[in-house]
């Protein structure tokens, strides 16, 4: 199983608007295809006092890189573009692709 993680840096004062957008618009759109599953949203707490604004991590599980690549080409890139158009440079983000390592031997 693979994990698609996007970390967002949200300008101070707009975190509530950002979370409303993520929960009400972005998450439903990503989940609609069924290719990405198990969404998890978390606030990043490390170095919180040293930064201007808030950081959030949004993760989805995906079965393979081929499935992810297909979803990203058909939907993902457009969804991130819409998010950027909505918030402009008040929300910055970067994505990482992770491979889950099972705990069993």
């Amino acid at each position: 199983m693979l994990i698609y993680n996007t970390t967002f840096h949200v300008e101070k004062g707009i975190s509530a608007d950002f979370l409303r957008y993520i929960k009400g618009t972005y998450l439903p759109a990503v989940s609609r295809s069924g290719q990405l599953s198990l969404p998890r949203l978390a606030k990043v707490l490390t170095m919180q006092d040293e930064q201007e604004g808030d950081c959030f991590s949004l993760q989805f599980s995906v079965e393979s890189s081929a499935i992810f690549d297909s979803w990203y080409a058909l939907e993902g890139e457009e969804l991130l573009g819409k998010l950027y158009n909505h918030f402009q440079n008040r929300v910055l983000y970067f994505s990482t692709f992770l491979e889950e390592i099972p705990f069993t031997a």
Side-chain angles (χ1 to χ4, degrees), residues 24-88:
T25 302
Y26 190 81
L27 279 172
V30 171
S31 299
R32 203 168 296 133
S33 71
Q35 293 177 312
L36 277 65
S37 62
L38 304 172
R40 294 184 66 170
L41 179 62
K43 185 173 183 180
V44 178
L45 300 178
T46 52
M47 297 176 13
Q48 190 173 0
D49 293 336
E50 298 175 18
Q51 62 190 11
E52 291 289 323
D54 294 312
C55 289
F56 298 93
S57 170
L58 179 59
Q59 297 182 353
F60 294 92
S61 293
V62 61
E63 289 184 29
S64 70
S65 59
I67 290 172
F68 173 80
D69 291 344
S70 173
W71 171 82
Y72 191 79
L74 293 173
E75 301 176 41
E77 188 172 20
E78 181 181 352
L79 288 173
L80 283 172
K82 287 180 180 180
L83 184 141
Y84 178 79
N85 287 336
H86 187 83
F87 290 103
Q88 296 294 312

